[in-house]
Amino acid sequence: QVQLVQSGSELKEPGASVKVSCKASGYIFSNFAMNWVRQAPGQGLEWMGWINTNTGNPTYAQGFTGRFVFSSDRSVSTAYLQISSLKAEDTAVYYCAREREGYWGQGTLVTVTS
Amino acid sequence: QAVVTQEPSLTVSPGGTVTLTCGSSTGAVTSGHYPYWFQQKPGQAPRTLIYDTSNRQSWTPARFSGSRLGGKAALTLSGAQPEDEAEYYCLLSYNGAWVFGGGTKLTVL
């Protein structure tokens, strides 16, 4: 069965970086794009963009350029989200979500606080 | 950027039927928007109920159905159960760019 398993919660100081992983299993990783979605505390879902897991080519939504980097490694069937120069407003749960049937990871809480 | 609109809140009686809708600021919702519906309960990840307008996921109860209705995507819940109380989000794809609706808080009361 398809599973997306994300890395654990992170607590970071402002200005630091974080890398969230999303390990896929149960399907051929490079056959499906992976999306990233942010949910700030008490807020709705916000699409951050997606990565072509076959070519590694990322596409970023408005508001997610510059400090946000999507990458993927086909050899370990894993997609990554890296956020640099963290700000308090980056505090959120970050989800990976596969295209087509819409499988979701369990989410990774990133908390940015001094 | 397109805006996707949902009812902010709806209430349904146990055993009753309710329809949630999902509209697009760009015009009618079509099959090319590949409408999705997600259910999210507090503290949990979203769970896909419907994809590509009307396809249920393997775990989606048969009481949930998806369709297009009057230029919008629609999620109909027939025979609401207490455990269906949740936030429901729709998503439309605009040439690969996802746009989420603001969510509908569904109360079963």
Side-chain angles (χ1 to χ4, degrees):
Chain A
Q1 74 282 18
V2 174
Q3 277 196 303
L4 301 177
V5 178
Q6 297 185 224
S7 48
S9 297
E10 300 270 8
L11 179 61
K12 295 290 184 180
E13 292 189 346
S17 295
V18 69
K19 193 168 187 176
V20 176
S21 65
C22 169
K23 182 167 178 59
S25 61
Y27 70 97
I28 299 173
F29 178 72
S30 56
N31 283 1
F32 297 88
M34 192 70 75
N35 292 267
W36 288 95
V37 176
R38 181 172 77 177
Q39 188 169 38
Q43 302 300 308
L45 302 171
E46 187 177 18
W47 181 67
M48 301 173 67
W50 64 283
I51 186 165
N52 182 320
T53 54
N54 185 42
T55 65
N57 184 47
T59 298
Y60 301 98
Q62 271 186 318
F64 293 99
T65 55
R67 297 188 300 116
F68 300 85
V69 176
F70 307 147
S71 60
S72 62
D73 184 340
R74 296 194 306 183
S75 68
V76 289
S77 299
T78 301
Y80 302 95
L81 163 66
Q82 184 160 358
I83 312 172
S84 59
S85 304
L86 283 163
K87 307 174 184 181
E89 50 264 43
D90 294 323
T91 295
V93 178
Y94 293 84
Y95 296 100
C96 57
R98 202 197 80 173
E99 65 164 351
R100 304 274 181 86
E101 297 92 340
Y103 293 96
W104 289 69
Q106 83 276 20
T108 297
L109 173 62
V110 175
T111 303
V112 184
T113 180
S114 53
Chain B
Q1 178 174 312
V3 175
V4 175
T5 54
Q6 299 183 244
E7 299 85 0
S9 64
L10 290 169
T11 300
V12 61
S13 301
T17 296
V18 64
T19 296
L20 289 65
T21 68
C22 176
S24 171
S25 63
T26 63
V29 174
T30 71
S31 59
H33 289 106
Y34 305 101
Y36 287 79
W37 290 95
F38 308 103
Q39 179 192 64
Q40 188 178 35
K41 296 181 178 179
Q44 297 184 15
R47 185 175 75 147
T48 300
L49 294 177
I50 300 288
Y51 63 96
D52 287 357
T53 304
S54 58
N55 293 291
R56 289 189 192 91
Q57 258 290 10
S58 56
W59 50 75
T60 304
R63 62 183 180 271
F64 289 97
S65 62
S67 64
R68 281 186 292 120
L69 209 61
K72 296 183 178 183
L75 176 71
T76 299
L77 170 58
S78 304
Q81 301 296 310
E83 61 265 28
D84 299 329
E85 185 160 296
E87 191 83 23
Y88 291 82
Y89 293 94
C90 72
L91 178 148
L92 301 178
S93 177
Y94 296 83
N95 296 316
W98 285 8
V99 181
F100 287 95
T104 295
K105 181 171 176 54
L106 182 66
T107 300
V108 181
L109 189 62

